[in-house]
Amino acid sequence: MSSQNTLAVLIFCFLLLSKEGILCSALNRNSFPNEFQFGFSTSAFQVEGAALEDGRGVSIWDTFCSLPGKILGGGNGDVAADVYHRYKEDVQILKNLGTDLYRFSISWPRIFPGGSTRHGAVNLKGVQYYNNLINELIKNGIEPCATIFHWDVPQVLEDEYGGFRSKRILDDYSEFAEFCFKAFGDRVKMWVTINEPSIFSTHGYENGINAPGRCSPPSCPAGDSSREPYIVAHNLLLAHSRAVKIYRSKYQKNQKGRIGISVHSDWYMPLSSSKADVDATQRVLDNTLGLYLDPVVFGDYPSSVKKLVGNRLPIFTEQESNDIKGSSDFIGMNHYITMYVMDNSTAVPAPPMDGPTQDEPDSPEVQDTFAITTSEKDGVAIGPSEGGVSYWRSYPFGIKLLLDYIKVKYENPPVYITEIGYVNLDDGQPLEEILQDTDRIQFIKDTLNYTLQAMSEGADIRGYLLWSYIDNFEWDNGYSFRLGLYYVNYTNNDQRRIPKASATWFREAMNTDLMSGARRFGKSAY
Ligand code: NOJ
């Protein structure tokens, strides 16, 4: 490098450092503590396929995908990325990428096609599949992390009592969770009870864009956007708490694993420094992240949510509150984007504190936080749009701010970043273009640097899992949103995996010292 170029790099580093504290050294596995775990996350419905094979039952997502117009491009989970048949090839991909920890979810209807033993026996072929996957991971030095519920409620239970709208789900979920501990807990030492309760409840029951597609009519055929999201959120939290109680009382001592929940949060920043916007930002954080983490850490909902949601928010009994308090050995954090928040308390007439009025608009987020979220300030976007998705703006510094917030507000719990990733819209551009995903590489580098920075300032961060190693079914956005380090060729159900530039970069960053996977696995942070 010429001295002029060196100077330019130094000045660039200085400018970045002074602005937001980015570190400018080469980044790889060695930048992190030895026991820090890198890896990937997926979920059963999004990657497995084999929906009609080996006795799997139907989930609410199979049903939702069959409704016209619900999924961009009209896809479904019948084949997905075909991981059910290709798991051995994929474990080799994960190994080559330098994976320490792989988070997958266990499909509820593949284990219990009828949702529970009340409606038929356990599906042994499904159990065999997860045994095979887990064994293959361990054989290759990768620690398995299993999510028990990643949104695939068995359709039978939805039909029988309304799925997570009913407390009856607690017994059925507990049976499924306990079955997983018994069957796989001798080898799975990291459990996630529930994935992203906030997205499941808001997208499934507030705006209805996800299964089971409920919201207040006429936008949806049935639902109640002002109440059901809170009922579902509450039941998800109780389900988490029940599973943790079972694991801690009957399995943890012998199996020596750890159990937690994975929550989702965007980062939120006030649009201006006015007190009104700052307070609005706190209300939004309370209604999204706090709605879940406050109960899990402190045993109850945030007071601002209780005040603003009134009698639409279910109440924890004393016993439930004691049970849920401290119910996560770690916090799983899923994070993608950052938004500005603007106060809206004067524009919206306040509903009575004890409940909604007849003509309340459909959006609890606006109603219940009196705030508006936006990705623009004075006409300038918070960051460039990711891969052609206009509302998905890249702002890597958001992860640092979120980790700092969790450290301070929740007494520095052990945190795994259980999801983070960068999206590309596939609107038919040439394959070569999709494979040159340099923006994704930059995003990964930046978010790793900011994670490191949060750690150096004291945050207890144990792992960083990307979503994901392969492209997969992105819910209502179908197969047009690609977030993988490997491209999946969906044409004619070929499902071939092709490495993108990010796969090459990640592999090199992870394999610098050729540490054996077995050693990393043995050094789990628990
Ligand atoms: C969150 C969800 O857990 C996962 O299912 C989804 O695909 C990713 N984020 C990307 O949106």
Side-chain angles (χ1 to χ4, degrees), residues 372-443:
I372 289 174
T373 55
T374 168
S375 54
E376 280 191 7
K377 182 175 179 169
D378 302 328
V380 180
I382 195 162
S385 82
E386 285 188 15
V389 179
S390 59
Y391 60 89
W392 206 321
R393 300 262 159 195
S394 180
Y395 187 74
F397 193 48
I399 186 69
K400 160 82 169 55
L401 298 170
L402 178 59
L403 294 174
D404 289 349
Y405 179 81
I406 293 172
K407 177 182 74 176
V408 174
K409 166 112 194 186
Y410 297 105
E411 299 162 358
N412 205 9
V415 170
Y416 286 81
I417 298 170
T418 40
E419 281 185 34
I420 191 159
Y422 187 95
V423 67
N424 282 109
L425 175 68
D426 180 349
D427 52 5
Q429 60 271 57
L431 176 60
E432 304 73 60
E433 212 175 280
I434 299 180
L435 297 182
Q436 281 314 310
D437 58 341
T438 47
D439 290 349
R440 177 171 290 111
I441 296 175
Q442 194 57 49
F443 177 84

Side-chain angles (χ1 to χ4, degrees), residues 279-467:
D279 290 351
T281 305
Q282 188 59 54
R283 291 196 297 273
V284 172
L285 274 166
D286 287 348
N287 194 280
T288 51
L289 183 62
L291 191 67
Y292 301 93
L293 277 196
D294 275 38
V296 164
V297 177
F298 305 128
D300 202 0
Y301 292 118
S303 54
S304 77
V305 180
K306 287 204 227 179
K307 190 169 153 218
L308 293 168
V309 181
N311 72 2
R312 288 172 293 130
L313 186 70
I315 294 169
F316 291 110
T317 63
E318 206 179 324
Q319 181 65 53
E320 287 166 350
S321 170
N322 289 338
D323 286 346
I324 199 167
K325 185 176 175 177
S327 60
S328 254
D329 297 332
F330 61 87
I331 302 301
M333 195 64 244
N334 296 357
H335 168 76
Y336 290 85
I337 62 168
T338 296
M339 307 279 279
Y340 294 117
V341 179
M342 190 171 77
D343 175 55
N344 194 38
S345 54
T346 49
V348 180
M353 288 311 174
D354 62 352
T357 57
Q358 281 293 35
D359 48 10
E360 176 185 83
D362 270 351
S363 166
E365 193 189 329
V366 173
Q367 268 297 327
D368 294 341
T369 61
F370 301 96
I372 289 174
T373 55
T374 168
S375 54
E376 280 191 7
K377 182 175 179 169
D378 302 328
V380 180
I382 195 162
S385 82
E386 285 188 15
V389 179
S390 59
Y391 60 89
W392 206 321
R393 300 262 159 195
S394 180
Y395 187 74
F397 193 48
I399 186 69
K400 160 82 169 55
L401 298 170
L402 178 59
L403 294 174
D404 289 349
Y405 179 81
I406 293 172
K407 177 182 74 176
V408 174
K409 166 112 194 186
Y410 297 105
E411 299 162 358
N412 205 9
V415 170
Y416 286 81
I417 298 170
T418 40
E419 281 185 34
I420 191 159
Y422 187 95
V423 67
N424 282 109
L425 175 68
D426 180 349
D427 52 5
Q429 60 271 57
L431 176 60
E432 304 73 60
E433 212 175 280
I434 299 180
L435 297 182
Q436 281 314 310
D437 58 341
T438 47
D439 290 349
R440 177 171 290 111
I441 296 175
Q442 194 57 49
F443 177 84
I444 297 172
K445 281 184 188 172
D446 290 346
T447 51
L448 281 173
N449 265 325
Y450 287 130
T451 301
L452 204 49
Q453 201 182 325
M455 291 165 71
S456 75
E457 291 168 19
D460 186 3
I461 317 300
R462 308 279 179 98
Y464 174 100
L465 306 185
L466 278 164
W467 187 280

Side-chain angles (χ1 to χ4, degrees), residues 5 36 85 91 105 261 270 305 413 437 490 493 495 524:
N5 283 351
F36 191 87
H85 297 114
V91 169
S105 80
I261 190 167
V305 180
D437 58 341
Y490 300 118
N493 285 342
Q495 317 316 79
S524 145

Side-chain angles (χ1 to χ4, degrees), residues 46 75 78 86 88 103 113 119 130 142 152 162 171 204 246-247 299 362 371 402 429 513-514:
Q46 293 177 272
D78 288 0
R86 295 169 189 252
K88 284 194 176 174
R103 182 173 79 113
H119 298 299
Y130 292 107
I142 299 169
D152 48 357
D171 287 341
I246 292 168
Y247 187 66
D362 270 351
L402 178 59
Q429 60 271 57
D513 55 5
L514 299 176

